[in-house]
Amino acid sequence: MSTVVFFLKQFSCKISCGSIGWLCVLFFSCQNTHQDQSAHLHYSIYTMDKAGVDYLIETNVLDSGRVDAVQQGSKLSPHIHRDLIVRDGYYYHKSKEQLTRYQLRDKKLTAVDSIVLNNFYIDNYFWVSPDSLLLFGFDNECRLVKMAKLYLPQMSAEIDTLDLEIPAGPYRYTSVGFSDVCRGRLLLGYSYHRGNENEYIPSDTMYVGVFSYPQLKKINIIKDTRSTYPGSDNFVEPASFNDENGDFYFLTCPGIALGNHAQKPTALYRIKAGHTTLDTSYYFDVSASVIGNDAYSIYYIGKQKAIIRSEQAHLYNGWKNHWKVPHFQFYVLDLVSLELTKLPLPLDKGTRRQCVLVEGDTTYIAVNAEEGNYIWLYHTPTAHLSKGLQLDSNTNYILRIDKLSAH
Amino acid sequence: MKVTAELIEKYHLGLCTEAEEAVVEKWLAEESISDIDKFSLDLSDEMKATCKQEMWTEISEVLSMSVQAKNKPAGGKYWSPSFVRSAAAVLALVLLSSVAVWWGQKNTFVQQVAVYHNDEKNVSEKFQAHGFNIELGPNSKANINASAYHQNGQIDFCGIIMINPLEDIELTLCTECRQRAVQREKVKFKKGETYIAVNYKFDSNSELIVVNERNIIDLPPVLQREIIKQFDI
């Protein structure tokens, strides 16, 4: 089945529109993004050194050796940040009302083209196909939710407004935490926030809008009060995924670094493939588990297993050192039994970052530890963990590891 | 009678009594400026000597010009002694004022606390303070005591504030909002950088957060977005 899907995916890349192309695109988008058949992919590593300077390194090797950001990487200008989309050799960076596409050429990140989206604050993205990118965001008041459908070869866009309740009263701002298109169904996780006197706390309820795609007709609004703030800022790190069956899982993240709602737990929910309501039989309270803390990201690694990266509240003191102190841990979660296994990795630092990359049976995990910054390799079938690529001693953080895809 | 800035000015305007004139002219001829006590200057002996030398150089030039003028052949410009004395007094006043302003910028110089507030609901507002520029977010306010430049200057604020230091400077930031615990932090600001400070509320606690504009991405997304919106970054 996966071979057929892969063939169809390649076929769809050759045509920008067409019923056959869209059909296989829709099917592909329900698949796990970790299934990649190429054995010669290039990788991208985004780092920050001890002086706060960012670098981008492109490499073919993550499982061994040592890399020096200054010697082998490209120094980035201060206006580039790690909230990037990385795909097919390109880097997409969002700034106010604009998405710019870059490529690394002669060790310099060069803007290739861009698109301006007026009155559109970009908050979330989803790849419908290799040539079509959905962006979700708001008007400048952060209340009206919009969707921009980008056609990348031309960098053109169609913008629609989604039929969601416009917030009023004290919780007068909206934020989008995840978006997912699968089998003609769009799922949009969102919250309403306060915006008074520096209070940005979300309401007690998490929301998921269910729409038909591409018609954008509202089908259902899911509400749940067991947790709040569904999803994350997926330009920085993901908090949702589809498994091989097309079932959709998402974290709610009310921890200090995201939702900031002290009374609600981090939790894992599921919406089964083709359904428009929550799977009521599935709810995992991460904060009440052996993890005992909040988490901000989850990565599917295949075979009904996922990795959760969670904080340790007793090791940091407020937001000011949340990102400086190594306190994060990695757990493998069995999605069926809900059994957790802590990975014997050193404590990791860096509040939110894209630090897990899955390729077949191998999961690469970037860890910023006291002893140094390494890419670790986790072999899913055997649960074997080993050290891989080492970053130079002047690297302070590995902020992203991405698959650049075949050139 | 002590020589003060007011007395020198009075001398320049020709409003002194004979006794006052005598005091000023004696002072102009003296080698010491230790009698100047109008200004709250804490000048070292070295600084006083520098001030004195600069003033006297200027005044001497004026006086030597007046002597040359007096010796000019008939028909040339003649500078009367009273004019020369008046000019010297003005020069002394200007020099003293300049030294006082320059010195006040560098060392202890008492200033009143400056109060800034932005009552706009949707728009930020820019202000110039002493040694740095600030921009207040909507419904934000700040009391700034910039005394002891480079030393214990303090900004008390509530809301969101953007700070652009014009030089390397160390300031104490203090959050002063109703119904919240006071938070205080000493921060080193680098010239040319831009910083955002906000009192971020967590449940019943709040935390003073100071971040370089380049690191806004590290903030919680909703706060990040609010800062971008308020300051049009």
Side-chain angles (χ1 to χ4, degrees):
Chain A
M1 179 65 76
S2 59
T3 305
V4 171
V5 169
F6 178 68
F7 172 77
L8 289 173
K9 174 196 168 191
Q10 293 300 300
F11 180 64
S12 74
C13 289
K14 293 179 169 58
I15 55 172
S16 55
C17 301
S19 56
I20 297 176
W22 281 116
L23 188 64
C24 67
V25 158
L26 286 172
F27 185 73
F28 170 76
S29 67
C30 300
Q31 295 300 307
N32 237 300
T33 54
H34 83 292
Q35 290 182 351
D36 194 307
Q37 307 300 316
S38 172
H40 302 288
L41 293 177
H42 290 177
Y43 308 102
S44 169
I45 308 173
Y46 190 113
T47 68
M48 183 169 79
D49 72 7
K50 292 173 180 171
V53 178
D54 291 356
Y55 291 85
L56 202 52
I57 305 162
E58 291 184 357
T59 180
N60 282 332
V61 176
L62 290 182
D63 55 7
S64 62
R66 186 176 182 279
V67 68
D68 186 297
V70 173
Q71 299 295 326
Q72 294 156 267
S74 305
K75 185 177 170 183
L76 298 174
S77 70
H79 75 273
I80 295 292
H81 305 288
R82 59 197 172 88
D83 52 340
L84 298 172
I85 304 172
V86 182
R87 182 162 177 151
D88 295 334
Y90 290 102
Y91 301 86
Y92 299 82
H93 183 252
K94 64 180 175 82
S95 54
K96 193 182 173 190
E97 295 184 339
Q98 181 167 312
L99 188 77
T100 303
R101 177 159 60 177
Y102 293 85
Q103 208 168 32
L104 208 57
R105 295 174 180 173
D106 298 324
K107 294 195 75 173
K108 192 179 171 191
L109 197 65
T110 306
V112 176
D113 48 25
S114 64
I115 185 167
V116 174
L117 303 169
N118 291 316
N119 194 23
F120 195 114
Y121 182 96
I122 302 169
D123 208 25
N124 201 269
Y125 76 92
F126 182 82
W127 286 99
V128 178
S129 75
D131 292 335
S132 182
L133 175 66
L134 298 182
L135 298 176
F136 295 88
F138 325 94
D139 63 340
N140 287 335
E141 295 301 312
C142 296
R143 301 167 86 176
L144 205 61
V145 180
K146 297 182 174 185
M147 183 187 85
K149 191 171 180 180
L150 265 62
Y151 297 99
L152 288 176
Q154 311 95 305
M155 279 299 257
S156 62
E158 296 167 5
I159 298 179
D160 288 290
T161 300
L162 293 176
D163 181 16
L164 290 174
E165 183 181 345
I166 296 174
Y171 298 94
R172 58 193 177 97
Y173 295 136
T174 313
S175 66
V176 172
F178 67 73
S179 53
D180 184 76
V181 172
C182 184
R183 300 177 187 176
R185 175 198 68 181
L186 165 65
L187 298 175
L188 198 78
Y190 63 98
S191 308
Y192 294 124
H193 295 261
R194 294 179 76 90
N196 301 313
E197 295 186 4
N198 307 318
E199 273 191 76
Y200 303 102
I201 298 170
S203 70
D204 289 346
T205 307
M206 74 97 181
Y207 297 82
V208 180
V210 185
F211 299 85
S212 63
Y213 185 86
Q215 299 83 5
L216 299 185
K217 186 181 171 187
K218 184 163 65 180
I219 298 171
N220 187 25
I221 299 292
I222 298 171
K223 300 180 189 179
D224 194 88
T225 56
R226 288 171 291 182
S227 186
T228 187
Y229 202 97
S232 64
D233 176 357
N234 73 343
F235 278 84
V236 176
E237 63 177 354
S240 63
F241 60 86
N242 283 294
D243 68 5
E244 295 91 341
N245 304 319
D247 294 340
F248 181 73
Y249 293 79
F250 63 93
L251 269 185
T252 49
C253 303
I256 183 177
L258 281 178
N260 187 26
H261 194 303
Q263 279 76 45
K264 297 294 182 181
T266 297
L268 184 67
Y269 291 79
R270 181 169 71 188
I271 298 175
K272 291 187 75 62
H275 287 222
T276 59
T277 56
L278 284 177
D279 180 351
T280 54
S281 69
Y282 199 93
Y283 173 79
F284 180 57
D285 188 329
V286 174
S287 301
S289 71
V290 295
I291 289 179
N293 278 278
D294 287 314
Y296 304 105
S297 58
I298 189 167
Y299 302 84
Y300 188 62
I301 62 173
K303 297 183 173 58
Q304 293 298 297
K305 287 186 169 42
I307 285 181
I308 294 177
R309 181 176 182 258
S310 58
E311 65 182 24
Q312 294 190 79
H314 70 283
L315 293 181
Y316 67 84
N317 180 23
W319 183 86
K320 58 168 64 64
N321 67 1
H322 187 274
W323 54 280
K324 289 183 195 175
V325 174
H327 61 91
F328 284 92
Q329 300 180 99
F330 295 85
Y331 288 82
V332 175
L333 171 67
D334 186 309
L335 295 170
V336 177
S337 67
L338 298 182
E339 188 180 316
L340 282 164
T341 306
K342 187 165 80 174
L343 291 179
L345 290 166
L347 293 181
D348 177 39
K349 68 178 181 183
T351 295
R352 294 182 292 118
R353 49 196 203 88
Q354 173 71 43
C355 56
V356 175
L357 193 165
V358 183
E359 210 162 44
D361 286 338
T362 302
T363 298
Y364 299 98
I365 306 172
V367 180
N368 302 317
E370 290 282 2
E371 66 194 50
N373 304 87
Y374 287 86
I375 310 289
W376 291 75
L377 285 77
Y378 177 76
H379 186 240
T380 306
T382 60
H384 177 68
L385 197 59
S386 60
K387 254 183 190 175
L389 182 71
Q390 181 187 6
L391 276 291
D392 64 273
S393 58
N394 198 40
T395 293
N396 201 4
Y397 294 89
I398 304 170
L399 294 173
R400 299 192 66 94
I401 52 171
D402 291 282
K403 197 183 307 176
L404 263 183
S405 290
H407 286 208
Chain B
M1 184 188 302
K2 293 198 175 168
V3 174
T4 64
E6 286 87 0
L7 186 62
I8 294 174
E9 188 175 2
K10 206 174 161 187
Y11 180 89
H12 163 64
L13 294 172
L15 300 175
C16 285
T17 62
E18 280 186 18
E20 288 170 338
E21 271 188 16
V23 167
V24 174
E25 286 167 7
K26 182 172 180 288
W27 173 78
L28 284 171
E30 273 178 357
E31 291 187 1
S32 168
I33 60 169
S34 59
D35 289 344
I36 302 172
D37 63 358
K38 155 67 180 164
F39 308 102
S40 300
L41 295 174
D42 183 16
L43 301 172
S44 66
D45 288 343
E46 182 184 345
M47 191 57 225
K48 285 179 187 175
T50 305
C51 281
K52 176 196 70 178
Q53 184 56 42
E54 286 176 356
M55 286 166 56
W56 194 242
T57 302
E58 294 291 335
I59 294 168
S60 297
E61 287 174 2
V62 173
L63 289 176
S64 66
M65 283 167 63
S66 72
V67 169
Q68 289 171 16
K70 274 179 81 172
N71 294 334
K72 275 187 180 177
K77 189 171 181 182
Y78 173 63
W79 289 23
S80 68
S82 64
F83 176 81
V84 169
R85 289 194 294 270
S86 182
V90 169
L91 204 56
L93 181 65
V94 169
L95 284 171
L96 279 171
S97 301
S98 300
V99 168
V101 168
W102 173 78
W103 197 252
Q105 287 178 351
K106 292 290 183 186
N107 289 281
T108 55
F109 190 88
V110 174
Q111 287 185 343
Q112 288 184 339
V113 171
V115 179
Y116 306 89
H117 55 91
N118 177 13
D119 298 323
E120 294 290 332
K121 286 185 181 176
N122 298 309
V123 180
S124 65
E125 199 169 344
K126 294 182 181 178
F127 301 92
Q128 281 186 324
H130 191 63
F132 48 89
N133 295 325
I134 65 168
E135 188 169 346
L136 287 176
N139 296 315
S140 298
K141 59 182 180 182
N143 297 340
I144 298 177
N145 173 10
S147 66
Y149 190 77
H150 288 307
Q151 297 178 22
N152 57 355
Q154 180 162 315
I155 300 178
D156 300 336
F157 77 99
C158 183
I160 300 182
I161 184 171
M162 179 183 276
I163 301 166
N164 292 295
L166 302 176
E167 292 194 24
D168 290 353
I169 188 170
E170 188 173 88
L171 294 169
T172 299
L173 293 183
C174 182
T175 56
E176 288 281 347
C177 294
R178 285 180 304 137
Q179 298 173 352
R180 294 192 199 176
V182 172
Q183 305 262 332
R184 184 174 278 113
E185 186 174 333
K186 207 158 195 174
V187 182
K188 288 183 181 176
F189 295 94
K190 287 185 69 176
K191 174 186 176 182
E193 300 281 322
T194 300
Y195 301 84
I196 312 287
V198 60
N199 187 343
Y200 189 50
K201 190 166 186 284
F202 297 105
D203 195 23
S204 58
N205 296 318
S206 63
E207 184 177 348
L208 169 60
I209 292 176
V210 184
V211 65
N212 191 303
E213 184 189 3
R214 291 188 276 110
N215 300 122
I216 289 177
I217 184 66
D218 295 320
L219 294 173
V222 178
L223 177 57
Q224 203 184 115
R225 191 178 67 190
E226 192 60 20
I227 288 170
I228 291 170
K229 181 165 157 266
Q230 288 194 18
F231 294 106
D232 196 25
I233 295 172

